[in-house]
C-alpha cells in the first residue's frame, strides 16, 4: 500500500489517495484510480505496478508529456517507488509515500496560548477589556482632578469614550463581515481596547520621563513616534484579524502608513516649532519620588553649567545674525 | 504703566487751541499763572515727530522744549528711539506754529532715565531755565505738551514727591499726562523746569523725570561736543550694560529680607526698591492651600517700540494639602511650577531662543528640580534675560516652587543673583 499525494506549486498537499491494489492507474480518464484534472496529463498517463522483486514502480504508460524526476526534471520511463518519491506528470506534481514513511515529531503549539484564545474568541473578553479601560480612564480623571473629584462625571465621560471606541470596533467588525463573512467582533474589540490601554501606559511613562530627563525635543519626538507606532500596531492587528493579504504585505501597508503619518507629524512638529523665544524649554513635570533615588548635584556643579549656556547662546546669536545678513544681501 | 506714545495724525493750529484752553480756564491764580507761563514760553515748546524718511509720514509724536543756546531740545528717549534703532528709515523733525517740520538730529540720550536731547539747526528765541533746589510736597506743577496731537495744552497738578520702589528717581505728579505729551516740560509757576513728562499710570497718577537727570545729560552732551557716539546702538548697549552692573551690584550688596511661607523661609525684598505683596489662595473645596509671595522692581526701561525691559521679579508659591493623594498633589504642583514665569514676552527679532539646564540640585539639605534658562539680546551683546526656577521635592503633600526673573542682565550677575537666591531658601520646621 502507498499514498499518492497531489502537491500544489509550493509543495503543499492538495489531496491524498490511498493505493491499495496494483496496478494503480493515474491519468485524466475516468477509468483511472487517481484522476488528474490537468490538460497536460494523458487519459492514461502512468501506472504503479509491482515488480518481480516485490517492490513498486511507477511506469510511463506511453504518455505525451512523460514522467520526470521532481528534483532534476529529467524525463524517465519509470521510477522505483521507495519511501518518499516525487515526480512530475505533465504539469502536476505527485508525491508517493509508503505507510512506513517517518514523519517528524510534533512541534509545540506556541502561537495560540489560552490567553490569546480568550482575547480573540471568548465573550467575556468583550466585558473585561472595556471595564479595564474604564478603570484606566477613571484613574486618569482622578489623577488630573486637582479640585474635588467627581466620579459620576468622570464615569459619564468615560462612557462616551467607550461608546466611541465601540463604534470603531463595530466598523471593523462590519468590514470583516463584508470581506470574510465573519464579524470577529470580540477579536477587534480586544485589540482596540488593549491598544487604548497601551496608549495610557505610554502617556504615564512619558510623565515620568519628563520628570527624570532633560531633553525637550527628543522626548517630544519619541512621544510622537511611540503613539504613531502604537496606532500602526492597531491597524496591523485589525488587518491580521481580517486575514487581509499576506503577513508581509500587511506589514508593508502598515509600515508605509506609519511612515507617512509619522513623517507628516514630524514636519508639522518642526514647522509649528515651539516658540522657545518666549517659552522656557524645560520640563515642569514633578513626581512624588523619594529624592534619594534621584541623581542629585550640588549648586556649584549646577551653576558651573552657565558658561556653556552662554557659549550656546552666543553661537545661536551669531547664526541668527548670519542668517539675517544672508537674507538682506540677495 | 503706559508709555505716552504716539497718536494718529491730527492737524491743528497748535497755538490757537492752546490759547483757547488758557482762556477757558477759570479766573484766579491758576488762570493767571498758566497764562503767564504759556505766553512766556510758547515758542520754546514744540512738537517733536519722527517721520518715515521716504514718504514723510508721521510715525511718532511727542513734545520737546528748548534747553540750550544752540537749538537743543529736550524730550523723552521713547519719543525718538527710532532714530537709534533705524536711523536709515526715520528722521526727526520739530514742528513750528504753522505745522511745518524742521530737521533735528539726535545728540544724546539716557535710555535708563528715558530722556534725550535733539538739536535743531537754529537756536530758539527763548529757552527754559532748569530749576535747582528741592520741591515741597503739594507744590503746583504745570505739565505742558501736545496730547493726541490736539495742540499744546497745559495740565495743572501737584508735586507728590519721589516715587518709592524705584531705584531711579521719578517724580510722582498728580495730573493727567496723555499720549503725545511725552517729552514736554513740567514747570513751576515761575517757569522753571522741574521735570520731563514721561509716563502715566492713569487716573491722575503720572510720572516725571527729575530735572537733575536732564541737567546731567545736557552737561554730557555739551562735553561730547554735541555729537552722538559713532554707533548709537553700541552706546545704548553700553548704557544698559552699565545700568545692570550698578543695579544688580546694588541688589547684591543689599541685605535681603526673608519671608516665611509655611515651613519654608525664602528671600523677599532683595533691595529697598523691590515692592512685595502676598496672597493666600484656598479653593472652595479646601483641598489645598497656596501661599503666594511676589516681589518686583518698577524700573521699566523703554528700549524700542517693541520692547521694554529692566525688571527683576521673584515669585514663590508654597502649597500644601491634607486631603489630596500624593498623585493628585503632584499633578497640582506640576501645574503651578509650569505656570510660574515660564513665559516671557519677546520676539525673534530681539532675542535668541531660550536655552535651559534642568537638574536635581541639593541645597540646604533639600532636593529641588532646578532650571536655569537664558536668552540673549540679539542687538545688545552681553545682556540676557534669565529665569531661574526651583521646586522642592520629597514631601508627599507639601511643596515650594519659585521663579526669579532677571531681564537685561549679564550672565555673571545672573549667576550671583541666582546663587544667593537659591541658598536663601531654607526649611525651618
Amino acid at each position: 500500500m502507498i499514498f499518492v499525494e497531489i502537491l500544489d506549486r509550493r509543495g503543499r498537499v492538495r489531496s491524498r489517495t490511498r493505493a491499495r491494489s496494483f496496478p494503480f492507474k493515474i491519468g485524466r480518464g475516468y477509468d483511472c484510480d487517481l484522476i488528474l484534472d490537468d490538460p497536460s496529463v494523458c487519459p492514461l498517463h502512468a501506472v504503479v505496478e509491482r515488480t518481480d522483486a516485490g517492490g513498486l514502480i511507477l511506469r510511463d504508460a506511453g504518455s505525451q508529456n512523460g514522467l520526470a524526476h521532481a528534483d532534476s526534471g529529467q524525463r524517465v520511463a519509470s521510477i522505483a517507488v521507495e519511501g518518499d518519491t516525487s515526480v512530475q506528470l505533465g504539469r502536476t506534481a505527485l508525491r508517493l509515500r509508503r505507510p512506513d514513511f517517518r514523519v517528524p515529531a510534533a512541534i509545540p503549539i506556541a502561537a495560540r496560548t489560552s490567553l490569546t484564545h480568550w482575547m480573540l474568541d471568548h465573550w467575556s473578553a468583550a466585558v473585561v477589556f472595556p471595564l479595564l479601560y474604564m478603570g484606566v480612564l477613571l484613574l486618569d480623571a482622578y489623577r488630573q482632578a486637582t479640585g474635588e473629584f467627581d466620579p459620576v462625571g468622570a464615569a459619564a465621560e468615560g462612557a462616551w469614550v467607550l461608546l466611541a471606541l465601540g463604534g470603531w470596533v463595530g466598523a471593523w467588525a462590519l468590514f470583516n463581515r463584508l470581506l470574510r463573512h465573519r464579524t470577529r467582533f470580540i477579536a477587534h474589540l480586544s485589540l482596540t481596547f488593549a491598544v487604548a490601554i497601551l496608549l495610557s501606559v505610554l502617556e504615564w511613562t512619558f510623565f515620568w520621563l519628563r520628570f527624570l530627563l532633560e531633553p525637550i525635543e527628543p522626548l517630544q519626538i519619541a512621544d510622537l513616534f511611540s503613539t504613531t507606532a502604537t496606532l500602526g500596531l492597531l491597524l496591523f492587528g485589525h488587518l491580521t484579524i481580517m486575514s487581509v493579504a499576506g503577513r508581509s504585505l500587511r506589514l508593508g501597508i502598515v509600515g508605509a502608513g506609519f511612515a507617512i503619518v509619522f513623517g507628516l507629524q514630524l514636519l508639522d512638529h518642526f514647522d509649528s516649532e515651539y516658540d522657545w523665544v518666549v517659552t522656557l524649554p524645560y520640563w515642569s513635570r514633578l513626581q512624588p519620588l523619594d529624592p534619594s533615588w534621584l541623581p542629585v548635584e550640588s549648586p556649584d556643579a549646577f551653576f558651573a553649567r552657565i558658561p556653556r549656556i552662554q557659549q550656546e547662546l552666543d553661537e545661536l546669536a551669531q547664526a541668527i545674525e548670519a542668517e539675517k545678513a544672508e537674507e538682506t544681501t540677495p | 504703566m503706559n508709555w505716552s506714545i504716539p497718536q494718529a495724525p491730527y492737524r491743528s493750529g497748535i497755538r490757537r487751541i492752546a490759547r483757547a484752553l488758557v482762556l477757558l480756564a477759570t479766573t484766579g491764580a491758576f488762570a493767571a499763572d498758566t497764562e503767564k507761563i504759556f505766553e512766556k514760553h510758547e515758542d520754546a515748546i514744540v512738537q517733536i515727530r519722527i517721520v518715515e524718511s521716504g514718504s514723510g509720514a508721521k510715525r511718532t509724536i511727542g513734545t520737546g522744549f528748548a534747553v540750550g543756546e544752540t537749538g537743543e531740545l529736550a524730550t523723552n528717549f521713547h519719543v525718538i528711539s527710532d532714530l537709534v534703532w533705524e536711523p536709515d528709515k526715520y528722521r526727526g523733525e520739530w514742528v513750528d506754529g504753522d505745522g511745518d517740520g524742521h530737521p533735528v538730529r539726535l545728540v544724546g540720550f539716557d535710555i535708563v532715565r528715558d530722556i534725550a536731547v535733539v538739536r535743531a539747526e537754529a537756536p530758539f528765541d527763548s529757552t527754559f531755565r532748569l530749576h535747582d533746589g528741592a520741591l515741597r510736597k503739594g507744590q503746583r506743577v504745570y505739565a505742558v505738551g501736545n496730547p493726541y496731537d490736539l495742540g499744546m495744552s497745559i495740565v495743572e497738578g501737584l508735586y507728590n514727591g519721589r516715587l518709592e520702589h524705584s531705584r531711579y528717581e521719578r517724580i510722582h505728579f498728580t495730573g493727567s499726562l496723555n499720549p503725545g505729551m511725552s517729552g514736554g516740560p513740567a514747570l513751576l509757576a515761575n517757569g522753571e523746569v522741574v521735570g520731563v513728562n514721561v509716563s502715566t499710570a492713569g487716573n491722575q497718577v503720572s510720572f516725571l523725570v527729575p530735572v537733575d537727570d536732564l541737567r546731567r545729560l545736557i552737561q554730557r552732551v555739551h562735553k561730547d561736543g554735541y555729537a552722538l557716539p559713532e554707533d548709537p546702538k553700541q552706546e545704548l548697549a553700553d548704557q544698559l550694560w552699565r545700568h545692570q552692573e550698578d543695579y544688580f551690584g546694588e541688589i547684591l550688596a543689599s541685605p535681603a529680607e526673608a519671608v516665611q511661607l509655611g515651613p519654608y523661609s525664602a528671600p523677599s525684598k532683595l533691595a529697598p526698591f523691590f515692592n512685595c505683596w502676598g496672597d493666600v489662595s484656598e479653593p472652595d473645596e479646601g483641598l489645598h492651600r497656596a501661599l503666594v509671595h511676589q516681589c518686583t522692581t518698577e524700573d521699566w526701561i523703554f528700549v524700542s517700540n517693541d520692547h521694554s525691559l529692566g525688571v527683576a521679579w521673584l515669585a514663590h508659591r508654597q502649597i500644601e494639602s491634607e486631603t489630596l493623594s500624593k498623585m493628585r498633589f503632584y499633578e497640582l504642583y506640576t501645574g503651578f511650577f509650569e505656570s510660574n514665569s515660564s513665559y516671557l514676552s519677546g520676539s525673534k527679532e530681539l532675542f535668541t531662543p531660550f536655552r535651559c539646564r534642568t537638574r536635581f540640585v541639593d541645597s540646604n539639605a533639600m532636593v529641588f528640580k532646578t532650571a536655569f534658562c537664558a536668552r540673549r539680546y540679539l542687538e545688545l551683546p552681553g545682556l540676557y534675560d534669565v529665569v531661574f526656577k526651583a521646586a522642592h521635592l520629597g514631601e508627599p503633600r507639601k511643596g515650594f516652587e519659585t521663579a526669579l526673573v532677571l531681564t537685561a542682565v549679564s550672565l555673571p550677575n545672573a549667576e550671583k543673583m541666582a546663587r544667593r537666591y537659591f541658598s536663601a531658601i531654607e526649611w525651618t520646621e
Side-chain angles (χ1 to χ4, degrees):
Chain A
M1 186 179 78
I2 55 163
F3 288 93
V4 183
E5 297 166 333
I6 304 172
L7 306 181
D8 69 10
R9 284 181 184 192
R10 292 181 179 189
R12 290 180 296 201
V13 177
R14 270 167 55 193
S15 72
R16 180 177 289 126
T17 307
R18 201 192 294 255
R20 291 172 191 276
S21 59
F22 304 98
F24 182 85
K25 291 187 275 183
I26 302 172
R28 197 150 42 81
Y30 284 93
D31 58 342
C32 289
D33 299 304
L34 175 66
I35 303 168
L36 301 176
D37 287 330
D38 176 353
S40 63
V41 169
C42 289
L44 177 62
H45 197 105
V47 182
V48 185
E49 296 170 332
R50 286 204 184 275
T51 60
D52 297 342
L56 289 171
I57 188 170
L58 176 65
R59 184 177 54 78
D60 188 344
S63 68
Q64 174 81 28
N65 294 317
L67 282 183
H69 273 292
D71 301 333
S72 62
Q74 191 193 347
R75 189 165 172 168
V76 287
S78 65
I79 296 171
V81 178
E82 282 151 2
D84 180 23
T85 307
S86 294
V87 291
Q88 190 81 24
L89 278 76
R91 285 206 179 91
T92 302
L94 289 186
R95 189 168 69 190
L96 298 89
R97 277 181 177 172
R98 288 173 179 274
D100 58 0
F101 178 79
R102 291 182 70 86
V103 294
I107 50 167
I109 300 171
R112 269 209 170 186
T113 59
S114 55
L115 180 68
T116 323
H117 177 76
W118 171 77
M119 275 178 62
L120 296 179
D121 291 322
H122 202 270
W123 65 269
S124 60
V127 177
V128 171
F129 270 108
L131 280 181
L132 205 59
Y133 188 53
M134 186 61 153
V136 169
L137 289 176
L138 286 177
L139 193 64
D140 214 31
Y142 176 73
R143 177 183 62 78
Q144 287 179 28
T146 49
E148 198 75 68
F149 177 57
D150 169 19
V152 177
E157 273 180 35
W160 279 110
V161 176
L162 293 198
L163 207 64
L165 289 183
W168 168 268
V169 172
W172 279 101
L174 185 68
F175 288 144
N176 212 136
R177 172 98 193 143
L178 293 176
L179 252 78
R180 290 283 179 267
H181 308 292
R182 287 179 65 197
T183 54
R184 304 214 63 194
F185 185 81
I186 292 168
H188 286 296
L189 183 138
S190 295
L191 171 73
T192 303
F193 280 89
V195 165
I197 292 167
L198 181 60
L199 284 175
S200 292
V201 171
L202 270 178
E203 194 185 347
W204 291 339
T205 309
F206 274 98
F207 282 159
W208 278 93
L209 293 178
R210 279 177 214 147
F211 171 60
L212 294 168
L213 303 179
E214 180 176 41
I216 299 283
E217 191 119 8
L219 267 191
Q220 284 176 333
I221 291 171
D223 199 345
L224 273 185
F225 179 89
S226 57
T227 309
T228 316
T230 309
L231 292 174
L233 194 71
L234 177 69
L235 181 62
F236 182 75
H238 283 307
L239 294 178
T240 306
I241 291 169
M242 288 169 65
S243 337
V244 169
R247 187 186 168 80
S248 44
L249 183 58
R250 282 200 298 270
L251 273 176
I253 292 170
V254 173
F258 168 80
I260 291 168
V261 173
F262 182 60
L264 286 175
Q265 279 182 318
L266 265 192
L267 281 180
D268 185 52
H269 172 83
F270 286 115
D271 192 42
S272 64
E273 203 179 328
Y274 291 81
D275 193 355
W276 300 130
V277 172
V278 296
T279 309
L280 305 187
Y282 79 109
W283 291 123
S284 62
R285 192 77 217 174
L286 303 173
Q287 296 285 30
L289 183 70
D290 188 327
S292 59
W293 291 83
L294 296 170
V296 171
E297 65 185 30
S298 69
D300 282 340
F302 179 68
F303 289 114
R305 299 178 187 281
I306 294 177
R308 180 79 191 109
I309 300 181
Q310 174 158 18
Q311 194 187 336
E312 280 175 26
L313 289 175
D314 289 350
E315 284 166 12
L316 210 55
Q318 276 174 13
I320 292 169
E321 291 300 332
E323 204 174 301
K324 269 188 194 165
E326 209 165 282
E327 271 172 23
T328 47
T329 51
Chain B
M1 189 179 292
N2 296 317
W3 299 102
S4 319
I5 321 188
Q7 282 311 305
Y10 192 94
R11 287 187 70 89
S12 75
I14 290 170
R15 260 176 283 193
R16 251 200 336 263
I17 292 185
R19 281 212 179 93
L21 274 172
V22 172
L23 289 173
L24 275 170
T26 48
T27 53
F30 171 52
D33 282 349
T34 47
E35 199 164 356
K36 262 193 291 177
I37 293 163
F38 197 83
E39 286 200 343
K40 193 170 166 199
H41 295 292
E42 63 179 329
D43 292 327
I45 304 178
V46 297
Q47 187 185 72
I48 304 273
R49 66 186 181 195
I50 302 301
V51 297
E52 208 265 310
S53 298
S55 64
K58 249 188 287 196
R59 171 168 160 88
T60 310
I61 58 160
T63 304
F65 57 99
V67 288
E69 304 303 323
T70 48
E72 296 87 3
L73 291 162
T75 186
N76 286 138
F77 174 79
H78 78 254
V79 172
I80 53 82
S81 67
D82 289 324
L83 300 182
V84 174
W85 289 110
E86 297 187 282
D88 302 333
K89 213 167 149 193
Y90 301 104
R91 59 188 158 81
E93 286 181 347
W94 71 271
V95 184
D96 64 23
D98 300 321
D100 295 329
H102 308 276
V104 292
R105 92 190 146 78
L106 180 63
V107 291
F109 59 85
D110 181 338
I111 185 170
V112 176
R113 273 84 177 175
D114 196 2
I115 45 179
V117 174
V118 295
R119 197 177 185 197
E121 281 168 347
F124 291 87
D125 294 341
S126 70
T127 60
F128 282 99
R129 276 222 341 265
L130 306 186
H131 177 74
D132 199 356
L135 294 172
R136 295 182 318 278
K137 232 177 189 178
Q139 206 168 339
R140 265 180 214 291
V141 172
Y142 307 92
V144 188
N146 186 359
Y148 300 106
D149 205 8
L150 294 169
M152 283 301 158
S153 60
I154 303 177
V155 174
E156 188 195 17
L158 301 177
Y159 170 79
N160 258 291
R162 304 287 168 115
L163 202 61
E164 290 170 31
H165 309 303
S166 173
R167 183 171 179 274
Y168 297 104
E169 290 191 331
R170 285 274 195 267
I171 292 171
H172 176 191
F173 167 73
T174 47
S176 289
L177 291 184
N178 287 307
M181 292 180 76
S182 282
L187 308 169
L188 292 177
N190 66 7
E192 286 182 354
V193 178
V194 294
V196 182
N197 308 339
V198 66
S199 59
T200 175
N203 290 332
Q204 305 259 321
V205 178
S206 299
F207 304 106
L208 311 171
V209 181
V211 74
D212 296 340
D213 290 332
L214 177 62
R215 187 179 289 114
R216 272 191 291 274
L217 175 62
I218 292 170
Q219 282 164 358
R220 203 175 77 210
V221 167
H222 185 70
K223 208 178 90 201
D224 293 344
Y226 301 98
L228 203 60
E230 207 157 282
D231 182 354
K233 277 187 215 171
Q234 187 56 49
E235 166 66 14
L236 189 146
D238 290 347
Q239 286 188 11
L240 289 173
W241 169 270
R242 285 196 296 272
H243 159 251
Q244 67 86 32
E245 284 285 294
D246 294 350
Y247 201 80
F248 292 106
E250 193 173 330
I251 294 176
L252 288 164
S254 306
E257 291 178 13
V259 61
Q260 190 70 32
L261 298 164
Y264 301 88
S265 171
S268 174
K269 242 174 174 296
L270 299 181
F273 45 86
F274 273 73
N275 194 9
C276 298
W277 61 97
D279 198 5
V280 183
S281 88
E282 204 158 356
D284 293 342
E285 303 100 344
L287 293 175
H288 77 273
R289 189 178 65 118
L291 288 175
V292 180
H293 186 81
Q294 299 178 321
C295 299
T296 180
T297 65
E298 287 165 9
D299 297 302
W300 282 90
I301 297 174
F302 178 97
V303 177
S304 72
N305 287 330
D306 308 315
H307 189 56
S308 296
L309 58 75
V311 161
W313 149 284
L314 64 93
H316 309 302
R317 192 187 271 108
Q318 190 264 321
I319 56 169
E320 55 185 80
S321 170
E322 270 134 39
T323 45
L324 287 176
S325 66
K326 268 201 288 191
M327 191 169 69
R328 288 169 75 187
F329 181 80
Y330 269 73
E331 192 69 27
L332 183 78
Y333 195 15
T334 298
F336 283 142
F337 191 43
E338 174 65 40
S339 63
N340 191 352
S341 308
S342 298
Y343 180 93
L344 255 65
S345 64
S347 74
K348 279 190 175 120
E349 283 68 42
L350 298 171
F351 300 101
T352 65
F354 271 108
R355 284 284 185 267
C356 295
R357 287 295 182 278
T358 312
R359 292 291 184 281
F360 298 108
V361 182
D362 192 343
S363 172
N364 295 329
M366 291 189 280
V367 173
F368 293 84
K369 183 166 190 177
T370 308
F372 186 99
C373 302
R375 65 180 178 188
R376 209 193 95 167
Y377 287 73
L378 288 174
E379 302 212 54
L380 305 172
L383 294 179
Y384 303 79
D385 283 349
V386 169
V387 183
F388 172 74
K389 302 192 65 159
H392 177 217
L393 298 170
E395 291 291 321
R397 286 177 193 85
K398 278 196 180 76
F400 173 88
E401 59 87 16
T402 187
L404 172 69
V405 180
L406 307 170
T407 64
V409 62
S410 71
L411 283 180
N413 277 338
E415 182 185 335
K416 283 182 214 154
M417 290 284 299
R419 273 176 182 271
R420 200 166 97 122
Y421 184 79
F422 196 29
S423 67
I425 300 169
E426 290 174 318
W427 179 273
T428 55
E429 212 164 54

